[in-house]
Amino acid sequence: MPERGYERDWDMRHLFLLWGCMLHAVPMMLSPKRTNKHSERITGLSENDGKTLHRTKRGWMWNQFFLLEEYTGPDTQYVGKLHTDQDKGDGNLKYILTGDGAGSLFIIDENTGDIHAAKKLDREEKSLYVLRAKAIDRKTGRQVEPESEFIIKIHDINDNEPKFTKDMYTASIPEMSGVGTSVIQVTATDADDANYGNSAKIVYSILQGQPYFSVDPETGIIKTALPDMSRENREQYQVVIQAKDMGGQMGGLSGTTTVNITLTDVNDNPPRFPQSTYQFSSPESAPPGTPLGRIKASDPDVGENAETEYSISSEDGSDMFDIITDKDTQEGIITVKKQLDFENKMLYTLRVEATNTHPDPRFLQLGPFKDTALVKISVEDIDEPPVFSRSSYLIEVDEDAKEGSIIGQVVAQDPDITKNAIKYSVDRHTDLDRIFNIYSGNGSLFISKPLDREETPWHNITVIATEINNPKQSSQIPVFIRILDINDHAPEFAKYYETFVCENAKAGQLIQTVSAVDKDEPPRGHKFFFELVPEFAVHPNFSIVDNKDNTAGIMTRRNRYNRSKMSTYLLPVIIFDNDYPIQSSTGTLTIRVCACDSRGNMQSCNAEALLLPAGLSTGALIAILLCIVILLVVLFAALKRQRKKEPLIISKDDVRDNIVTYNDEGGGEEDTQAFDIGTLRNPEAREESKMRRDVIPETIFQIRRTAPLWENTDVQDFIHRRLKENDLDPSAPPYDSLATYAYEGNDSIANSLSSLESLTTDGNQDYDYLSDWGPRFKKLADMYGGEESDRD
């Protein structure tokens, strides 16, 4: 029924418009504006030929025609008629139509001038057409009327429905927005003529989406229609909007579009724990940082509005446990903060609080945006290893402690309720020498071997405590043992001193400053005292002065020293410390007599230098040297002959060490110089051949009651030369062998009595030393040493 009514209404309107157009067009066709039939004659001369000019009024003038679009009748649509008053109806005139659509859209009857529309027209494609008409005489081909232009305008009908700029719109609005909040504006357009009728007048209405949203009928703005719409209840809405032309009246055309509206989240919900109490358990051996469980406070909000922070608000267990927030899942992870102890406490009750990190001030009136829950954590007992009473032990013991004496004790116990028995042992990897031992029952440490602080001042051992019933449960503790010093070492010279005294020295002159070292370490520091051996307390040549600063000075006690009489002095010195018990040692200084210049600078201390002032001539010295060279040549030739005559290795396969012996009758009991090995132990000779500087040489000599050792540089040179000859000899065997060298011994220790070698030429010679040589030289002493008695 509505469709039929709509069609009737459309047909009536079209007929009414067609009738109106015809009423308007027919008077124009039948009575066009025209001038008088006769022409006004104007008499005059033209500029060229002087003909008479005539002014002719127009015989027709056309206005515009009106035509409806979308004509659907059975015949062609009649537009109008062209006619001139010069048409007599005899068919002599011909009407011609040109312009937009002439001949295709618009057809004219050339005899009658009737114009028809040959096709259905669409105003939306072209709304008006401009045409030109002419009337021509068929016989003469002359225009009886000048060409005239007219317009055919297409009248609009409502043949286009409104169309939206988008088929689908998407919009969003925060939840809990107030009524009338704008969401989005939709726009529809109509292709019909907005200036002709109501075909293009659009009205908006909502077909779907009520009662949540509404639309402004003129602007198309969609607004909220309900208050406090919650995203948590419903997030997505689909709204259908209709646009209808003809001002929304019945019979108008319409179009629709869909608008998808999403409610965005706001923080209008606090976090809430789904349960009020949580239960967790943890073994007491759990290390700090171990996670025990997760809890989560639910928040229906999303994004940052749902971010939650967890904390422990109660004091009970806040120092033993911690809670952190998992940023991905918004869960609270409960972890162990400190080492648990079942024997100390078995149950903890925590109050955990969950709080939103980004609250919205608009909704604070709804209440606090946080929630609390109780978390109970039970501690599980496990079998723990023994625990020592300390983290480490420090024990001090004197280095003279006896073997078997107890030096200290370590204590450990089982922390479990069962209190299992403990046994102790020493980790032998930390005591390879087995100096210490321990009683397994009570943890008492005792000494198994003597101690020496100077060798090892500290001992770091490890003691192990093990449960007897469960040997797998054990623990260990470091024990630091400090060896306390006792005064068990005597002081000695700090180094080997090369001391000399000038022949021209004066009495009271300092020739050497000595110091001492001690391996002990007394708590108040070292204090050394120096003095001469009691037998030499009053030494005729030297004295010692204690400087009271752990050093002592060696002083001369007489004027002038004589190398020819005594080239070396031995001065024994006793060094004492001040600790208890007092320790002392005796060191011997070897003092050589040397020739010096006037400033006290040493020039020569060698034995060869003593030959020059002895009065020998140059020829005698050359003769002595020549004899020595001949002797060496003969000895070298004899040795080579002996090597060629009797090889040490008889066969190639005999690689045994061979001992070559030489028969030597010796010098008898009285000859103590020829084979006295003490002559090879001269400190100066040893100093020349020493190789290491990091070892303190043995410079302290004990006091000997025998005759002193004299310089024997000739023995040293002799041996060095022999060694060099053997090393450079290409025929020497490439294996160890024993080579002996004959040595006749040194000269007599007594100096020459010849006046040729006397050092005193202008004065009397001093022979008092002869009295020290014994009864054999008593007569000589009386002869040469009795000068003073003769004078008396």
Side-chain angles (χ1 to χ4, degrees):
M1 289 299 293
E3 293 180 357
R4 293 178 181 178
Y6 175 78
E7 291 176 355
R8 281 200 306 272
D9 182 66
W10 187 88
D11 292 338
M12 290 298 294
R13 285 188 289 109
H14 280 69
L15 291 174
F16 174 76
L17 292 172
L18 180 61
W19 178 76
C21 290
M22 294 299 295
L23 290 179
H24 181 72
V26 169
M28 293 177 59
M29 293 186 289
L30 297 178
S31 301
K33 291 183 181 180
R34 63 183 67 184
T35 61
N36 292 329
K37 179 72 173 67
H38 62 274
S39 302
E40 295 180 358
R41 186 179 300 274
I42 300 177
T43 305
L45 298 175
S46 68
E47 294 179 356
N48 298 327
D49 52 7
K51 292 181 179 182
T52 301
L53 300 177
H54 295 277
R55 177 182 171 187
T56 303
K57 294 184 179 178
R58 294 184 59 186
W60 58 2
M61 183 178 70
W62 303 98
N63 290 330
Q64 62 183 3
F65 293 105
F66 293 91
L67 186 65
L68 289 177
E69 66 170 337
E70 304 292 345
Y71 174 74
T72 58
D75 299 327
T76 58
Q77 188 176 3
Y78 182 73
V79 178
K81 183 179 181 66
L82 295 178
H83 185 73
T84 178
D85 54 3
Q86 295 186 19
D87 188 359
K88 303 300 182 179
D90 54 3
N92 291 329
L93 294 180
K94 178 181 179 181
Y95 295 95
I96 298 174
L97 185 65
T98 61
D100 293 339
S104 58
L105 292 179
F106 302 103
I107 301 173
I108 189 171
D109 188 337
E110 61 181 14
N111 296 319
T112 64
D114 294 327
I115 303 174
H116 291 81
K119 296 180 181 179
K120 182 173 62 174
L121 302 177
D122 187 358
R123 187 198 68 84
E124 285 71 35
E125 293 182 2
K126 193 172 179 65
S127 61
L128 58 88
Y129 297 87
V130 179
L131 298 170
R132 290 178 297 275
K134 293 186 295 185
I136 301 174
D137 190 331
R138 291 179 181 272
K139 295 180 179 180
T140 62
R142 180 179 60 85
Q143 292 185 11
V144 297
E145 291 288 351
E147 187 179 63
S148 179
E149 183 178 275
F150 65 96
I151 297 174
I152 299 176
K153 187 173 182 181
I154 308 302
H155 271 293
D156 182 46
I157 65 172
N158 191 17
D159 61 341
N160 290 281
E161 71 277 3
K163 292 184 179 180
F164 285 92
T165 56
K166 293 182 181 179
D167 294 334
M168 182 177 292
Y169 291 84
T170 302
S172 63
I173 185 173
E175 63 173 331
M176 308 300 290
S177 297
V179 176
T181 302
S182 296
V183 180
I184 193 174
Q185 182 177 17
V186 295
T187 304
T189 58
D190 196 322
D192 293 326
D193 190 358
N195 298 320
Y196 181 77
N198 293 329
S199 297
K201 186 177 181 180
I202 298 174
V203 174
Y204 299 94
S205 62
I206 184 168
L207 300 181
Q208 177 182 323
Q210 296 175 329
Y212 307 104
F213 300 94
S214 63
V215 64
D216 189 297
E218 295 182 359
T219 63
I221 298 176
I222 301 174
K223 300 179 181 179
T224 56
L226 284 182
D228 302 331
M229 287 191 295
S230 176
R231 184 199 64 84
E232 289 74 31
N233 294 334
R234 184 177 177 182
E235 185 176 5
Q236 299 288 340
Y237 294 86
Q238 192 174 69
V239 179
V240 177
I241 303 297
Q242 181 189 61
K244 190 173 184 181
D245 58 11
M246 298 298 293
Q249 297 177 4
M250 184 174 294
L253 302 178
S254 64
T256 60
T257 188
T258 302
V259 182
N260 293 323
I261 301 175
T262 303
L263 296 184
T264 58
D265 185 57
V266 296
N267 193 6
D268 58 339
N269 293 281
R272 290 288 182 264
F273 284 105
Q275 58 192 70
S276 59
T277 304
Y278 295 85
Q279 295 279 350
F280 297 103
S281 62
S282 171
E284 61 177 336
S285 61
T290 302
L292 303 182
R294 292 172 176 254
I295 60 175
K296 183 177 182 180
S298 300
D299 192 334
D301 296 324
V302 295
E304 68 174 15
N305 296 323
E307 291 182 2
T308 306
E309 285 289 339
Y310 297 90
S311 60
I312 299 176
S313 58
S314 63
E315 295 182 358
D316 181 25
S318 60
D319 58 336
M320 303 300 296
F321 301 93
D322 198 3
I323 186 168
I324 58 177
T325 303
D326 189 333
K327 298 300 182 181
D328 297 329
T329 63
Q330 298 301 316
E331 294 177 314
I333 305 173
I334 299 175
T335 61
V336 178
K337 189 176 181 180
K338 289 185 179 180
Q339 188 69 47
L340 302 175
D341 188 0
F342 173 82
E343 289 72 25
N344 185 26
K345 191 170 184 178
M346 296 179 290
L347 180 64
Y348 293 88
T349 300
L350 310 179
R351 184 176 296 277
V352 178
E353 185 176 88
T355 308
N356 272 149
T357 56
H358 302 284
D360 193 330
R362 296 177 298 171
F363 306 103
L364 293 179
Q365 71 274 6
L366 300 178
F369 277 70
K370 61 183 179 180
D371 195 16
T372 59
L374 293 180
V375 178
K376 295 183 178 181
I377 302 175
S378 58
V379 182
E380 300 174 352
D381 186 27
I382 63 169
D383 190 6
E384 299 176 88
V387 177
F388 285 91
S389 60
R390 302 179 190 175
S391 59
S392 63
Y393 289 86
L394 173 62
I395 298 176
E396 295 182 343
V397 57
D398 293 333
E399 64 176 323
D400 62 345
K402 303 299 181 182
E403 297 180 16
S405 58
I406 296 176
I407 61 173
Q409 185 182 19
V410 297
V411 178
Q413 63 179 359
D414 184 9
D416 299 321
I417 298 179
T418 56
K419 301 296 181 184
N420 291 326
I422 305 296
K423 66 176 181 178
Y424 303 90
S425 61
V426 175
D427 186 357
R428 290 305 172 189
H429 294 91
T430 62
D431 185 25
L432 298 176
D433 296 332
R434 295 182 175 270
I435 300 176
F436 303 95
N437 212 331
I438 192 170
Y439 290 107
S440 61
N442 58 10
S444 296
L445 285 165
F446 61 91
I447 303 173
S448 299
K449 291 183 179 180
L451 303 175
D452 187 358
R453 187 203 66 84
E454 287 71 30
E455 181 179 350
T456 307
W458 284 90
H459 294 271
N460 302 329
I461 65 173
T462 300
V463 174
I464 303 173
T466 307
E467 292 184 11
I468 295 177
N469 295 334
N470 187 7
K472 294 183 178 179
Q473 297 296 335
S474 64
S475 58
Q476 57 186 19
I477 198 75
V479 179
F480 307 103
I481 302 174
R482 180 183 180 184
I483 310 302
L484 300 179
D485 183 39
I486 62 170
N487 194 25
D488 58 344
H489 289 83
E492 55 189 19
F493 281 125
K495 64 178 182 178
Y496 173 73
Y497 294 98
E498 294 183 351
T499 307
F500 71 93
V501 62
C502 294
E503 289 183 306
N504 55 357
K506 303 297 182 181
Q509 182 177 339
L510 176 66
I511 63 172
Q512 182 70 60
T513 299
V514 295
S515 61
V517 293
D518 194 338
K519 295 180 180 179
D520 297 321
E521 292 183 0
R524 294 184 299 275
H526 290 292
K527 182 63 177 177
F528 302 124
F529 304 94
F530 302 86
E531 63 180 38
L532 295 178
V533 175
E535 291 84 345
F536 296 88
V538 182
H539 198 281
N541 298 308
F542 305 98
S543 64
I544 187 168
V545 177
D546 196 333
N547 296 327
K548 307 302 182 182
D549 60 353
N550 294 339
T551 63
I554 308 301
M555 313 293 292
T556 59
R557 294 195 63 184
R558 74 176 198 180
N559 295 329
R560 300 187 64 84
Y561 293 84
N562 194 336
R563 281 188 297 167
S564 61
K565 294 181 180 180
M566 184 70 72
S567 61
T568 303
Y569 293 92
L570 299 179
L571 184 65
V573 178
I574 301 178
I575 309 173
F576 300 90
D577 58 20
N578 67 333
D579 205 355
Y580 180 82
I582 295 176
Q583 299 288 344
S584 65
S585 66
T586 302
T588 302
L589 288 177
T590 301
I591 304 174
R592 295 186 297 164
V593 181
C594 299
C596 303
D597 58 15
S598 59
R599 297 182 180 180
N601 297 322
M602 181 182 67
Q603 292 181 337
S604 177
C605 295
N606 296 330
E608 290 82 355
L610 298 177
L611 298 177
L612 294 177
L616 291 178
S617 63
T618 305
L621 291 176
I622 294 175
I624 293 173
L625 293 175
L626 184 59
C627 292
I628 293 173
V629 172
I630 295 173
L631 180 60
L632 291 176
V633 172
V634 172
L635 182 59
F636 180 76
L639 289 176
K640 289 190 68 176
R641 248 190 338 268
Q642 187 171 2
R643 287 198 188 100
K644 293 179 180 179
K645 185 183 301 182
E646 186 179 349
L648 296 178
I649 298 179
I650 300 174
S651 64
K652 182 183 298 184
D653 297 331
D654 190 359
V655 294
R656 296 173 299 172
D657 291 346
N658 290 272
I659 299 176
V660 181
T661 60
Y662 302 94
N663 294 325
D664 195 324
E665 295 181 357
E669 295 179 356
E670 295 292 333
D671 189 356
T672 60
Q673 290 291 324
F675 298 99
D676 187 4
I677 197 64
T679 59
L680 303 179
R681 296 177 181 173
N682 192 321
E684 297 180 2
R686 184 178 65 252
E687 180 67 14
E688 292 179 4
S689 61
K690 70 178 182 179
M691 299 299 293
R692 296 180 58 183
R693 296 182 179 270
D694 56 339
V695 179
I696 299 176
E698 298 179 359
T699 59
I700 302 174
F701 300 90
Q702 300 295 330
I703 300 176
R704 298 174 59 183
R705 300 299 181 182
T706 59
L709 302 178
W710 309 104
E711 277 190 36
N712 292 281
T713 56
D714 56 345
V715 177
Q716 180 181 352
D717 294 340
F718 176 79
I719 292 177
H720 285 174
R721 284 195 300 269
R722 292 303 187 190
L723 289 174
K724 186 174 182 182
E725 290 172 0
N726 277 275
D727 291 339
L728 299 177
D729 187 5
S731 61
Y735 49 82
D736 294 337
S737 62
L738 180 63
T740 60
Y741 307 107
Y743 184 71
E744 295 181 356
N746 206 5
D747 296 335
S748 174
I749 60 176
N751 292 327
S752 175
L753 300 179
S754 173
S755 59
L756 296 176
E757 297 178 355
S758 178
L759 297 177
T760 58
T761 56
D762 297 333
N764 294 327
Q765 181 72 25
D766 186 9
Y767 296 104
D768 292 340
Y769 60 89
L770 295 177
S771 58
D772 297 333
W773 289 5
R776 296 184 180 181
F777 298 91
K778 187 176 183 303
K779 189 172 182 179
L780 288 175
D782 294 338
M783 293 174 59
Y784 290 89
E787 183 178 357
E788 292 181 1
S789 62
D790 293 339
R791 291 179 183 176
D792 293 339

